[in-house]
Amino acid sequence: MTPGGAGVAQRHDQPTGGPAGRIGIGYEPGGAPGACSAVVAGPYGGNDGTYAPDDASYGPVMASRTGDDGTDRGAAPEIGADLASHTADEVLADYLHQQSADFLRSLRLHRESGSDAESAGEAARQLRRAARRISATLHTFRPLTEEAWADQLRSELGWLSGTLAREQACAARRERLMAALQRLTGRGPERSDRGDRTGRGERGKRGDRTTTGPATSSAASSAAPAGDPDPDGALSAGAARAGALLDRQLTLARTRAHSAALQALGSSRFHAVADSVAVLASEAPLARTTAELPADEALPPLAEQAHRRLAEAVAALPLSRAGYPYNAAALAADQRQDAPWHQVRMLVRLSRYAREVIAPECSDLRLAEAGRALEWHRDAAEAAAAAAAAARTPRIAPATAYALGVLHADQRHEVEAARFAFGRVWLPRTPDRKS
């Protein structure tokens, strides 16, 4: 054991009273109206709007269930083919052993990568992938584990995954914003064609124009600076300096994140986490009674409970408005309106990983598509926040602030598009409206 490992890798044999918390068999009454049918059930494929799941698209993972009163109670996770012949201890231990082995293998690859930044980055991604799955499994199936030991390990894995993710996030954010600036300023062929169609190509030949009046980033997100009849020229004038400012800030943030990751990987805290995962690779911290429980009775209710939490969180989202394109609901830069969507992204991940445990041979394409849409939402929201932070830099030129405001608005439009895409995955398909 390395220093700092006390309380992390050490097993605590605490008496447990069985799988406490095994609730969630079905949807309790009193939930949000339509939460199960509109959020949990599969897509509506009928022309009349009736329920018609597309089994070819989503696979045999979701099984629709109907209550005694005839109402749809959502979809239950499909039980794996081999689940009935094993105990809960065997299934959970096998999955945790596999993910722990992947964690240790990725750690070895990271150490062997040396100065190869690309190999080190790929190893770090695989390390985070395994850490997320271990943490999610310990969270979802917590009543079947030794809770004190599992909670400590889950907390430490969350710290490690978050620390390693910051460098990659800064690099991806910089690339995203630079590409958006290039697209907005019309240096690509798409913008040139549009300029020819709208007649702005001739206007652009009159020469570059810069703004002469003051402008704030909030005003710039919707209109050009006062007194400038050519918004394209104002955007081009400030885009170069805005790009340089963003590049400097995000490169600095990435450098700091890289230093923090290296420091974390060399700390006693990380070695304690590695020791805990090494213990997990040979002996899973499961409750004594888990070995006596059939897997098909103990695991699906907990996976369904994770799915129900996801359904309730999605039901609380304003999907009725997000389902309309160009609704402008996401243009306001308010972290409070983004937080519920970020929470749903985490719950989608928990539900998807729970399905990997109970039905590894089946994949839910809808959860995968929803996760990608919400990752797009997160990336766009964080990029918009970075543009807004850059616009608050003291003593920047009005043209630079205007370009950053346009960039901020562009990324908030991406947030809106991601919400629309998520709604298309989860909400029922309705017949096209008649104009």
Side-chain angles (χ1 to χ4, degrees):
M1 286 292 297
T2 56
V8 179
Q10 181 180 357
R11 294 289 300 274
H12 298 283
D13 295 329
Q14 298 181 352
T16 55
R22 283 179 54 197
I23 59 176
I25 306 178
Y27 288 79
E28 289 79 10
C36 296
S37 60
V39 177
V40 184
Y44 283 58
N47 294 328
D48 57 351
T50 57
Y51 181 63
D54 185 3
D55 295 335
S57 299
Y58 294 101
V61 179
M62 308 294 288
S64 180
R65 298 185 304 143
T66 304
D68 297 335
D69 55 356
T71 58
D72 183 13
R73 292 190 175 181
E78 186 77 9
I79 299 177
D82 298 333
L83 205 60
S85 59
H86 295 84
T87 64
D89 179 272
E90 294 172 344
V91 175
L92 276 181
D94 181 70
Y95 185 82
L96 290 173
H97 292 340
Q98 178 184 352
Q99 299 305 323
S100 301
D102 291 343
F103 181 96
L104 298 175
R105 187 182 306 110
S106 302
L107 178 58
R108 185 182 69 252
L109 293 175
H110 188 276
R111 290 173 176 171
E112 295 175 352
S113 60
S115 59
D116 189 350
E118 183 176 356
S119 299
E122 180 61 29
R125 281 189 289 270
Q126 295 178 8
L127 193 69
R128 291 175 48 231
R129 178 182 181 275
R132 287 196 305 265
R133 280 166 168 78
I134 295 172
S135 178
T137 303
L138 294 177
H139 173 80
T140 301
F141 302 100
R142 181 176 182 270
L144 304 179
T145 66
E146 292 183 8
E147 296 180 358
W149 195 90
D151 289 348
Q152 180 70 12
L153 176 57
R154 184 164 55 87
S155 175
E156 294 300 290
L157 288 174
W159 160 77
L160 176 62
S161 180
T163 302
L164 296 180
R166 282 196 288 269
E167 180 183 1
Q168 181 184 356
C170 290
R173 196 172 306 135
R174 176 190 174 278
E175 182 178 355
R176 181 186 186 93
L177 289 173
M178 295 300 105
L181 268 180
Q182 182 177 1
R183 171 171 49 82
L184 291 171
T185 52
R187 284 177 284 179
E190 179 182 354
R191 178 70 181 194
S192 299
D193 295 340
R194 188 173 65 179
D196 293 341
R197 290 194 303 267
T198 59
R200 291 180 179 177
E202 293 296 328
R203 184 170 60 181
K205 296 178 181 179
R206 300 175 187 173
D208 296 336
R209 296 178 179 174
T210 58
T211 180
T212 57
T216 61
S217 60
S218 59
S221 63
S222 58
D228 193 341
D230 188 357
D232 293 338
L235 178 59
S236 299
R241 284 178 288 183
L245 178 61
L246 286 170
D247 179 73
R248 182 168 62 253
Q249 291 183 349
L250 293 176
T251 300
L252 178 60
R254 181 183 181 182
T255 301
R256 290 175 175 173
H258 180 72
S259 300
L262 291 179
Q263 184 177 3
L265 291 175
S267 65
S268 60
R269 184 179 182 180
F270 169 74
H271 288 294
V273 176
D275 289 343
S276 299
V277 176
V279 171
L280 188 62
S282 58
E283 183 181 2
L286 302 178
R288 297 187 185 94
T289 56
T290 307
E292 304 172 0
L293 298 173
D296 58 344
E297 296 180 6
L299 300 182
L302 295 175
E304 186 181 349
Q305 184 180 5
H307 183 71
R308 185 175 67 252
R309 287 195 296 265
L310 169 61
E312 293 171 352
V314 174
L317 295 177
L319 288 184
S320 58
R321 183 173 183 179
Y324 290 93
Y326 310 109
N327 57 78
L331 299 187
D334 188 357
Q335 294 182 354
R336 290 175 297 179
Q337 69 156 288
D338 292 336
W341 297 85
H342 297 330
Q343 178 66 18
V344 169
R345 179 179 61 86
M346 300 300 296
L347 293 175
V348 166
R349 179 178 293 172
L350 289 175
S351 182
R352 184 161 60 92
Y353 293 163
R355 294 178 188 279
E356 289 184 3
V357 176
I358 66 174
E361 68 279 1
C362 301
S363 61
D364 192 336
L365 297 182
R366 183 173 59 173
L367 282 177
E369 292 176 5
R372 285 191 291 267
L374 292 175
E375 287 177 0
W376 174 20
H377 177 276
R378 175 203 58 192
D379 294 342
E382 292 179 350
R392 290 191 292 268
T393 303
R395 297 184 299 276
I396 60 174
T400 306
Y402 172 67
L404 290 170
V406 172
L407 182 60
H408 173 269
D410 174 76
Q411 293 303 303
R412 292 308 301 183
H413 277 292
E414 292 285 325
V415 171
E416 177 187 326
R419 294 179 182 180
F420 176 78
F422 176 80
R424 296 284 289 180
V425 174
W426 281 96
L427 288 179
R429 298 172 185 172
T430 57
D432 295 336
R433 299 180 179 87
K434 296 181 180 180
S435 56

